[in-house]
Amino acid sequence: IQTAPTGRTPLGSDRDTYLQPVLRDRGNKTATERCKNPATKRTKPHIALEPTAARLAAERADGADLKLLQDAVSGMTEAIRNGDSKGLAHHDHVFHRGLLAATRNPLYVAHVPMMLRYLAEQYEDRELTEEDRANLVQHRDIFDAITMSDLDAAERATRALVLGSGRVISQAAF
């Protein structure tokens, strides 16, 4: 692969075309093609940022951060009880924005707009699912780990959320 002297792709070149040999994987798809697939798209921005951000938040969060995260989880719980997908989206945005802000790291905070755009794609005016309920439990787990300053648990819980390995819980729990 040809590299530009600055380590950047040459001006006017398409990133995937330039890096195609590097970005190919099973199924012979580029990274951009994989991101267009709804099954893989959901984790792309989260997987790179949030587990480490949660670890930092568990180390650095103050009382105001914890209050914001607690209120967001409470709002998500209420939205799920009421079947309110827009309310769930709002409180999920608040949670993730607060998580990144609690890192006190400008590089993570700079990703807030991208993260919010991604999250906006995940919610529509729709019926809530068992996955939404399982995700709520995982958000609670993340909040609890951050509250207890348990760096490993915060990272683990966040990784489980972004990888979609959530527990499915029954409607009766709400």
Side-chain angles (χ1 to χ4, degrees), residues 105-125:
N105 182 317
L107 295 175
Y108 284 99
V109 174
H111 283 88
V112 167
M114 180 269 311
M115 190 67 71
L116 295 182
R117 280 192 304 276
Y118 164 75
L119 290 171
E121 295 173 6
Q122 305 309 305
Y123 294 98
E124 307 148 5
D125 194 11

Side-chain angles (χ1 to χ4, degrees), residues 33-79:
E33 290 166 337
R34 284 191 313 274
C35 287
K36 290 178 184 172
N37 177 352
T40 58
K41 184 177 181 182
R42 92 183 264 262
T43 61
K44 294 304 175 190
H46 284 299
I47 196 65
L49 297 174
E50 289 209 277
T52 307
R55 182 178 196 80
L56 287 172
E59 181 179 18
R60 300 175 178 175
D62 63 19
D65 297 319
L66 296 176
K67 174 82 168 103
L68 184 141
L69 293 171
Q70 181 179 29
D71 289 350
V73 170
S74 296
M76 291 171 72
T77 302
E78 190 63 27

Side-chain angles (χ1 to χ4, degrees), residues 79-80 97 106:
I80 286 177
R97 186 174 52 235

